[in-house]
Amino acid sequence: MMNPQHLAAFATIIRAGSISKAAIQLGCGKSLLSRQLAKLEEDLGARLIQRSTRRLTLTEIGEQVLHEAQRIDTALANIEQMAGQHQQEVKGRLRVTCPMPAVARLVPVMTEFCQRYPQIDFALQVEDRLVDLIADQIDVAIRVAHLDDSNLIARKLVDSQRILCASPGYLAKAGNPVVAEDLAQHACLLYINAGRVNDEWTLLQSGEMKKVRVSSHFQSNNGIALVTAACSGAGILLIDRLIVSKHLKSGELVPVLDNYQLPSGSPVYAVYPARDWLALKTATFVAFLQERLFTGV
């Protein structure tokens, strides 16, 4: 009798693009997956994959089997999730991805989650690119962005507040701005997006909007680079508070013009694939994020 786990392993190998990558995703040995694939081909009496040193190519029957194997893979995942819901135990491997700026906030919360649910094992993938959650078998992604419509489920965690900040060293040298217009006389650190420089900053006070054109000797399309420059005393930075939260706590950076309000930054979401059954570990972790992760951002 054909083993359905071998079909699920076959689907994972094709999704990953190689047996090595599939083994990493499944947390098993490459040799075990190779044996499972060989046994599946033996049971079917047909070769499913043409192997080469660079890639795997499906045979004609392999394409047909893959279609059915993907359905079985989904069914097995749903059955596993149903069993987990029935057992009411938060356990298993939880694959999470997040952008670099969120790492400092996310890791302590993951540690706290593990302490509360000791049968959880985390695999954290730090990526600034948008990861394909289905292909990479990700359970939850943290995304700091306005999201396009997709077949993913998104749970909004918070609207990230923005902040003006600078190092104490810079302010000791250049002086502390008192009103919004003073920013025009300061060195400012500017974000570049698709070739456009954000050199007009908007501030609010008592319902009145102020737009200030600022100048800069340092620009970047990377938030971490701008934060590093600010900590080095290069100027005043306008950025999401999420990215500089630890620097504010340590005193490396201090708020500037904090009697003004700033427009909200990018919203922060927890995103996960849409499934008929949501794994208890995923649902519990997302709820935990909503409760703990961005409190006080």
Side-chain angles (χ1 to χ4, degrees):
M1 183 176 178
M2 192 181 308
N3 189 330
Q5 288 187 337
H6 293 172
L7 283 167
F10 167 60
T12 302
I13 290 168
I14 300 305
R15 220 173 21 235
S18 73
I19 294 176
S20 298
K21 291 180 180 178
I24 292 172
Q25 290 181 9
L26 295 174
C28 66
K30 177 182 174 181
S31 59
L32 174 62
L33 273 191
S34 296
R35 288 197 302 272
Q36 289 180 345
L37 176 59
K39 184 65 170 65
L40 177 61
E41 290 180 325
E42 180 185 334
D43 290 341
L44 292 172
R47 182 174 291 277
L48 302 177
I49 298 173
Q50 296 292 353
R51 300 160 179 80
S52 70
T53 56
R54 292 189 176 182
R55 64 176 184 172
L56 303 178
T57 304
L58 286 169
T59 63
E60 182 178 355
I61 189 173
E63 291 180 355
Q64 297 171 356
V65 172
L66 176 63
H67 178 71
E68 299 301 324
Q70 287 172 330
R71 294 170 58 185
I72 292 173
D73 193 24
T74 300
L76 288 173
N78 285 338
I79 291 170
E80 180 183 355
Q81 291 166 10
M82 290 165 60
Q85 293 279 23
H86 179 71
Q87 295 171 4
Q88 291 298 299
E89 291 185 16
V90 180
K91 64 180 182 180
R93 191 170 184 82
L94 198 58
R95 298 176 177 86
V96 180
T97 182
C98 76
M100 179 65 73
V103 169
R105 296 297 297 242
L106 182 62
V107 171
V109 176
M110 291 173 66
T111 302
E112 185 180 350
F113 190 77
C114 282
Q115 291 171 349
R116 183 176 297 186
Y117 302 103
Q119 295 187 76
I120 285 289
D121 294 320
F122 272 104
L124 177 62
Q125 185 174 327
V126 181
E127 295 275 4
D128 287 328
R129 67 181 177 90
L130 290 182
V131 175
D132 186 330
L133 273 60
I134 304 298
D136 290 355
Q137 295 189 311
I138 298 296
D139 296 303
V140 182
I142 304 300
R143 291 186 175 167
V144 186
H146 294 280
L147 300 180
D148 297 327
D149 291 336
S150 71
N151 60 350
L152 304 175
I153 305 298
R155 292 285 179 259
K156 191 174 184 178
L157 301 175
V158 74
D159 281 313
S160 181
Q161 299 171 357
R162 309 210 82 193
I163 187 172
L164 284 166
C165 56
S167 71
Y170 171 81
L171 296 175
K173 177 181 64 177
N176 209 323
V178 178
V179 296
E181 290 79 3
D182 290 345
L183 290 171
Q185 309 305 318
H186 280 265
C188 295
L189 306 170
L190 301 184
Y191 183 74
I192 305 173
N193 183 21
R196 298 179 60 184
V197 180
N198 179 26
D199 60 356
E200 187 177 75
W201 291 355
T202 301
L203 298 88
L204 301 168
Q205 188 179 52
S206 302
E208 183 181 357
M209 181 181 294
K210 306 262 187 193
K211 288 185 179 290
V212 182
R213 183 77 63 181
V214 297
S215 58
S216 171
H217 297 295
F218 190 95
Q219 305 168 4
S220 177
N221 66 342
N222 183 275
I224 299 301
L226 292 172
V227 172
T228 303
C231 291
S232 300
I236 296 176
L237 178 61
L238 172 63
I239 198 164
D240 288 357
R241 185 182 287 267
L242 164 68
I243 299 177
V244 293
S245 58
K246 69 174 184 178
H247 304 88
L248 294 169
K249 287 180 181 178
S250 69
E252 290 178 277
L253 297 174
V254 296
V256 172
L257 292 175
D258 55 358
N259 56 325
Y260 284 81
Q261 293 82 48
L262 299 168
S264 294
S266 299
V268 182
Y269 290 90
V271 180
Y272 49 89
R275 296 186 185 277
D276 294 335
W277 286 85
L278 181 62
L280 182 61
K281 62 182 180 181
T282 302
T284 305
F285 181 59
V286 171
F288 195 77
L289 291 176
Q290 292 177 307
E291 173 191 349
R292 301 288 297 143
L293 182 54
F294 295 108
T295 301
V297 169

